[in-house]
Amino acid sequence: MTGSRTIRSAFLVVVALCLGACAGLAGPRTITLSEADLARLIERHGPFEKRLLDVLDVHMDTPRVRLLVESNRLSTQLAVRTTERLGGRAYQGHIELDYGLRYDEVAQAIRITQVRVNEFQIDDLPAPRQAAINRLGGLIAEQLLDDLALYRFKPADLTSAAGLGYRPGAVTVTARGVEITLAPIAR
């Protein structure tokens, strides 16, 4: 049995060396994350909670992600629950935002960037309070989500990719999902 393991290990080393030698010829490779994959990554960071002006607790969870291919961005809708700290009244609603993604080489992570709130709606909230909440919606989203490390590469994965002559590069939203380009390392 150890003989077959040795042969298999030697074969894998030869394949890895061949791939590494051909990396410059093979061109870029991509890793694709689907909408469901992205929702799971966002959900792992949540639930998102924030206290506003010491009067309102905000809780956001249950992300639904859409690809915005034409603008190279993502849209995410989160369920929102708020509770007034003084009266204890609870409200529900949603927030919808869009944002870009970028690779942060120093942190070895895919980060959310340029968060914009498109809608922040709390059901059954009186109109004057709704207007105030809408103004705060952008601040909440920016504080909680802007520059969030959505995914961190494992050092071993980056070492393996580098050994094959690749490194992460551009992050692009396509019809298939978010594609992370693994570009050949210039040698």
Side-chain angles (χ1 to χ4, degrees):
M1 192 70 163
T2 49
S4 66
R5 278 191 195 150
T6 304
I7 292 170
R8 190 172 77 210
S9 296
F11 175 74
L12 291 174
V13 168
V14 169
V15 168
L17 289 173
C18 288
L19 284 174
C22 298
L25 300 174
R29 306 264 192 247
T30 58
I31 299 168
T32 303
L33 301 172
S34 69
E35 288 173 333
D37 295 333
L38 293 162
R40 280 190 294 275
L41 287 172
I42 292 169
E43 200 162 36
R44 280 194 342 208
H45 291 284
F48 302 100
E49 297 179 339
K50 183 73 176 168
R51 179 165 292 159
L52 297 177
L53 305 174
D54 266 343
V55 294
L56 192 65
D57 289 330
V58 179
H59 176 93
M60 297 184 286
D61 61 10
T62 319
R64 290 188 309 167
V65 177
R66 282 185 312 121
L67 305 169
L68 303 176
V69 177
E70 65 285 347
S71 60
N72 195 33
R73 295 172 68 81
L74 297 174
S75 172
T76 299
Q77 185 178 67
L78 296 158
V80 175
R81 288 186 304 283
T82 63
T83 305
E84 292 178 349
R85 296 198 36 144
L86 297 175
R89 285 195 63 181
Y91 299 95
Q92 294 187 7
H94 67 274
I95 188 169
E96 186 173 328
L97 43 100
D98 68 78
Y99 49 90
L101 296 173
R102 68 179 178 85
Y103 176 62
D104 179 348
E105 191 166 357
V106 173
Q108 299 176 335
I110 303 298
R111 291 194 179 274
I112 291 175
T113 186
Q114 301 171 346
V115 175
R116 290 188 308 224
V117 174
N118 299 319
E119 182 179 19
F120 188 30
Q121 179 65 43
I122 303 297
D123 301 334
D124 301 323
L125 193 65
R129 287 187 185 166
Q130 181 65 51
I133 291 294
N134 285 342
R135 286 190 298 275
L136 293 173
L139 295 173
I140 293 169
E142 286 176 13
Q143 288 178 359
L144 292 176
L145 299 173
D146 201 34
D147 211 35
L148 175 77
L150 187 60
Y151 177 78
R152 287 191 191 280
F153 288 94
K154 295 177 181 140
D157 293 341
L158 292 174
T159 301
S160 294
L164 296 174
Y166 290 94
R167 65 173 187 77
V171 180
T172 309
V173 178
T174 70
R176 291 187 307 267
V178 171
E179 292 186 354
I180 303 162
T181 300
L182 297 176
I185 297 172
R187 299 198 187 239

